[in-house]
Amino acid sequence: QINEMGLYDIGLIILASLASALLAEAITWVLIYRTDDYKQLKGQLDKAQDKLDKAKEGPKKAVSASKQKSVQKQVDRIEESVKSLNQNLSMIKMKSTFAIAITMISFFGFMNSAYVIIIVFLNYVLHIYNLF
């Protein structure tokens, strides 16, 4: 049986969870997705990935061994480029990850302290109630 106080707490927890998720997305958007560096790097990565896919498909006809080696070297170069772009993209996203981690730790610390106060208060009330 859930009383009115329990419903209020459940609603507050759901609201706090939604607020923290929205805050995390806002931080990510501000620090990453709206920046020109991210947009440029993402465009380069998409182009390189498309180029890699086309290079891996390779020629449809039978080709000589030297042509196959040439195509393989090109594929290897493009794979290195994609790997490098992914690494750069991860570095850009890292600052947002740290900001979100600090924000969430602070937020959940606040929520923890708020509910510890409620629990201590309820224990005090129950203790007094048991005295009578």
Side-chain angles (χ1 to χ4, degrees):
Q1 181 178 358
I2 300 175
N3 59 18
E4 192 173 310
M5 181 72 169
L7 287 176
Y8 173 76
D9 287 339
I10 291 170
L12 185 62
I13 290 169
I14 290 172
L15 185 63
S17 298
L18 289 173
S20 67
L22 289 174
L23 179 64
E25 288 301 317
I27 289 171
T28 301
W29 182 79
V30 167
L31 294 178
I32 296 176
Y33 297 123
R34 72 174 182 89
T35 62
D36 292 332
D37 290 341
Y38 173 79
K39 292 175 185 175
Q40 181 182 13
L41 199 55
K42 185 68 175 159
Q44 290 174 353
L45 182 62
D46 290 341
K47 286 179 186 176
Q49 190 64 46
D50 290 342
K51 199 176 198 182
L52 179 63
D53 292 341
K54 288 178 184 176
K56 280 187 176 181
E57 287 176 11
K60 304 290 184 209
K61 306 176 207 169
V63 293
S64 65
S66 63
K67 181 71 174 170
Q68 283 181 333
K69 285 182 182 181
S70 170
V71 169
Q72 186 58 41
K73 284 182 183 180
Q74 183 183 11
V75 168
D76 290 343
R77 272 196 318 266
I78 296 171
E79 283 178 342
E80 285 299 318
S81 174
V82 168
K83 185 193 267 185
S84 174
L85 289 169
N86 273 326
Q87 186 177 11
N88 291 342
L89 200 57
S90 295
M91 293 300 285
I92 288 175
K93 288 181 178 182
M94 192 171 295
K95 65 182 176 182
S96 172
T97 303
F98 284 130
I100 289 171
I102 291 169
T103 303
M104 289 298 139
I105 289 169
S106 301
F107 182 75
F108 290 126
F110 169 75
M111 291 300 291
N112 183 34
S113 66
Y115 276 97
V116 166
I117 291 170
I118 290 173
I119 291 170
V120 169
F121 176 73
L122 288 176
N123 283 337
Y124 178 72
V125 169
L126 290 174
H127 178 71
I128 290 175
Y129 179 73
N130 287 333
L131 291 176
F132 293 109

